[in-house]
Amino acid sequence: MSSPTPRDSIVHAMHGPTIWTSAAAVFVAQMCLTVLAPLNDSIQVTFGASATQLTWLTAAVFIPTALLELNFGVLGDIFGRKRLMLLGLGVVAIGAVVGMVASTLIVLAIALVLLGLGAAILLPSTLASAAEYSPDDESRAHALSRWAIAISLGAAVSPLAGALMVQQFGLGSAFLPILVASIVAFALVARFANESRSVHKRVLDWPGQITVIVGLVALIFAVIHGSEAGYGSIEVIAGFVVAAVALALFGWIEARSENPMFQVRLLKIPAFAAAAAAGLLGMLSFMGTAYAVAIKLGPIAHAAPLMVALPFVLIQLVPLALAGWLPKLIHRVSPRTLLVIGLLLLAVGQVWLAMLADGTTDLLSLAVPILLLGIGFIVMFTSLTAAAVNSVSREHIGMASGATSLVRETGQTLGPAVVAAVAIGTASSSTAQQLNSGELPAEVAGVANEVFAAGGPLAVANAPLPDPIRDIVAPIATAALEQGFDLGLFAMAGLSVVSALIVLIVMRKLAKPDDQSNLAPAITEEENA
């Protein structure tokens, strides 16, 4: 047995403090990404936000993470991960302060963009920092476990703390827990974290970054705006055209780039292509479901913020409960099999939620489908990563991990937009048809149509109209919204099933993690050429 080198001894001594400071920072990052869950109803009441505007607020948090996370990983490698962690925590603190004082939807959206930007900075730098100061495989597994647990804790604490604050002190106070957590984490990182950076030369892929930003933002705009303006409108069609051109250009650039942010050639490997498709559709399905649940419980059913937060807390308790034995299961059962099981559990939970009676808000009725979502998600998420990296040779694991991350984050960002497009489009059509059916008194129909034109079906359901008018039109819009989001949940279940079928049909038997013979022919041939 070889004796430890001086560097190994130094790394070992730095391991503990760096792991815990990285965990504290990523805890804050995940708080940013889940803060909105219990707040939609309060935002709607405070600002009169439409369902489309609520969807844009959710997108404001996730878009920076999806589009910038990989590049901030490169910047951390170049300039130092501790510096990036401090920068990210500073951006989060600023975003939390802006959220606390926000008096308009625009200011609130700016706050959420800052929180998403901070999370995009923190996620790659915390992970790389934790891994860098792990001297062996066992300590690295320990570090990654702590990092993952911190993410689950952040995702559970944020909606719970935000709900308690907003119930007691109002909407702005929901951002105070994030501010406090970011200040504490900043102090810990500044005092105890150790600096690290990559020994390899890293460069930013500016052409790829610009084209993917244009493409995905245009796509999200077209999907969200289309539910309100109609998918035949000029601006929506233009959005889809710009998205198609920009994303095609992105693929062309990445295939020819020396330092691509997304390795297009990996898609030539059937198993990886299946994992990428499952990651995109699976995360889209899960996040779309989470958004639908938040809107159904909040702005539609008007459950208390704490009640809206509890299902999200329950979902995050599942990874904590399974953390001990899920890695062992991955070693014993094929990632392909687990991926299919996770996706099908998601589908069952989604269908179950869609079939609950309208207006269901009690946790007892929601518990079983929510637990199915939590189990399905963590099984899918964990096995997805294993399936992606096991589909390529060991030397290509890094590029496979980065490509999978980009695809997964894109699905996460598109989920709320897609489910809202289905739900709001359906609800708007149904509400408009009933308001103009001729069965309502002319005065009632006139007032309701004015409200509908200004804010869609959610405004009709929640507008402070005179009681005689409200008693007639609010149930119409509420029922249409319930049916619309139920249809959205069925659509998400369909995507989960489609993902499972793609995995079953396309993904072949994967090599074990320690199988050195699993060379990716498509990549190897290109490199040899």
Side-chain angles (χ1 to χ4, degrees):
M1 180 181 295
S2 59
S3 59
T5 66
R7 182 185 184 281
D8 290 338
S9 300
I10 294 172
V11 169
H12 182 76
M14 294 177 173
H15 174 72
T18 303
I19 299 310
W20 290 110
T21 53
S22 296
V26 81
F27 173 87
V28 173
Q30 198 62 25
M31 287 186 74
C32 299
L33 298 179
T34 53
V35 66
L36 267 185
L39 305 183
N40 287 290
D41 192 26
S42 298
I43 293 171
Q44 201 282 322
V45 171
T46 302
F47 299 113
S50 68
T52 300
Q53 289 171 326
L54 292 178
T55 307
W56 271 116
L57 290 178
T58 300
V61 179
F62 287 109
I63 286 175
T65 307
L67 298 181
L68 300 175
E69 181 179 343
L70 289 181
N71 274 353
F72 277 119
V74 175
L75 290 174
D77 289 345
I78 297 172
F79 297 108
R81 290 139 188 170
K82 178 178 178 177
R83 291 181 182 178
L84 264 290
M85 282 193 279
L86 292 173
L87 174 63
L89 290 167
V91 171
V92 168
I94 295 171
V97 170
V98 174
M100 290 173 65
V101 301
S103 57
T104 66
L105 277 175
I106 295 296
V107 176
L108 181 59
I110 292 172
L112 294 170
V113 169
L114 288 171
L115 293 182
L117 179 61
I121 298 171
L122 289 170
L123 285 166
S125 55
T126 54
L127 178 58
S129 183
E132 175 73 14
Y133 283 101
S134 301
D136 50 50
D137 290 343
E138 182 178 354
S139 63
R140 183 171 289 114
H142 173 84
L144 297 181
S145 173
R146 294 290 183 270
W147 186 83
I149 289 174
I151 286 181
S152 293
L153 286 174
V157 168
S158 184
L160 188 60
L164 291 171
M165 294 297 293
V166 75
Q167 284 188 189
Q168 295 297 320
F169 306 108
L171 179 59
S173 66
F175 295 91
L176 180 59
I178 295 178
L179 176 61
V180 173
S182 64
I183 292 172
V184 172
F186 187 97
L188 291 174
V189 170
R191 174 66 180 83
F192 297 107
N194 296 283
E195 187 60 278
S196 67
R197 53 175 54 87
S198 176
V199 297
H200 303 290
K201 183 180 179 181
R202 302 293 306 277
V203 295
L204 291 172
D205 175 23
W206 287 111
Q209 183 66 78
I210 293 170
T211 51
V212 77
I213 287 176
V214 172
L216 288 182
V217 171
L219 178 61
I220 292 168
F221 166 80
V223 171
I224 295 177
H225 190 62
S227 64
E228 185 175 56
Y231 289 99
S233 63
I234 295 297
E235 62 269 28
V236 172
I237 293 174
F240 280 122
V241 170
V242 170
V245 172
L247 292 176
L249 186 59
F250 170 74
W252 184 83
I253 291 172
E254 296 303 280
R256 289 158 177 78
S257 173
E258 293 183 3
N259 298 283
M261 61 182 292
F262 181 82
Q263 295 283 356
V264 177
R265 55 186 178 169
L266 288 173
L267 296 177
K268 296 180 180 180
I269 306 169
F272 180 85
L280 177 68
L281 298 180
M283 285 302 296
L284 190 159
S285 170
F286 175 76
M287 290 304 300
T289 301
Y291 181 73
V293 170
I295 296 298
K296 279 170 66 72
L297 291 177
I300 298 177
H302 301 294
L306 184 59
M307 180 60 236
V308 180
L310 287 177
F312 295 92
V313 175
L314 190 59
I315 285 177
Q316 294 305 322
L317 290 179
V318 173
L320 297 177
L322 300 181
W325 65 272
L326 192 55
K328 300 176 183 177
L329 188 63
I330 290 290
H331 284 291
R332 296 178 182 177
V333 182
S334 164
R336 174 176 178 266
T337 301
L338 288 177
L339 189 51
V340 171
I341 291 173
L343 289 164
L344 293 181
L345 286 175
L346 273 182
V348 173
Q350 290 157 338
V351 170
W352 195 321
L353 286 170
M355 296 182 69
L356 290 175
D358 290 350
T360 298
T361 60
D362 62 289
L363 189 60
L364 187 61
S365 299
L366 294 167
V368 175
I370 290 297
L371 283 173
L372 287 173
L373 287 179
I375 296 170
F377 170 73
I378 192 59
V379 171
M380 175 198 72
F381 187 87
T382 306
S383 56
L384 176 66
T385 302
V389 300
N390 290 351
S391 65
V392 300
S393 58
R394 184 173 294 276
E395 60 265 30
H396 297 118
I397 285 177
M399 68 171 69
S401 179
T404 304
S405 177
L406 178 61
V407 170
R408 190 174 60 238
E409 297 289 354
T410 300
Q412 177 175 270
T413 304
L414 286 172
V418 172
V419 79
V422 174
I424 298 170
T426 302
S428 296
S429 177
S430 175
T431 303
Q433 183 178 3
Q434 293 184 69
L435 292 181
N436 297 287
S437 64
E439 298 178 2
L440 300 181
E443 181 182 355
V444 171
V447 171
N449 274 305
E450 289 181 7
V451 174
F452 179 82
L458 193 61
V460 176
N462 296 323
L465 299 171
D467 287 345
I469 297 178
R470 176 177 171 78
D471 291 344
I472 295 174
V473 300
I476 292 174
T478 299
L481 285 164
E482 285 278 7
Q483 293 168 8
F485 277 97
D486 286 343
L487 181 61
L489 287 170
F490 280 121
M492 296 301 100
L495 288 178
S496 296
V497 172
V498 169
S499 300
L501 290 174
I502 290 173
V503 172
L504 278 174
I505 295 170
V506 180
M507 188 177 289
R508 299 172 184 173
K509 183 179 179 181
L510 298 172
K512 295 180 180 180
D514 57 352
D515 185 357
Q516 297 286 344
S517 66
N518 184 33
L519 293 175
I523 295 179
T524 306
E525 289 175 7
E526 283 188 20
E527 291 177 346
N528 289 340

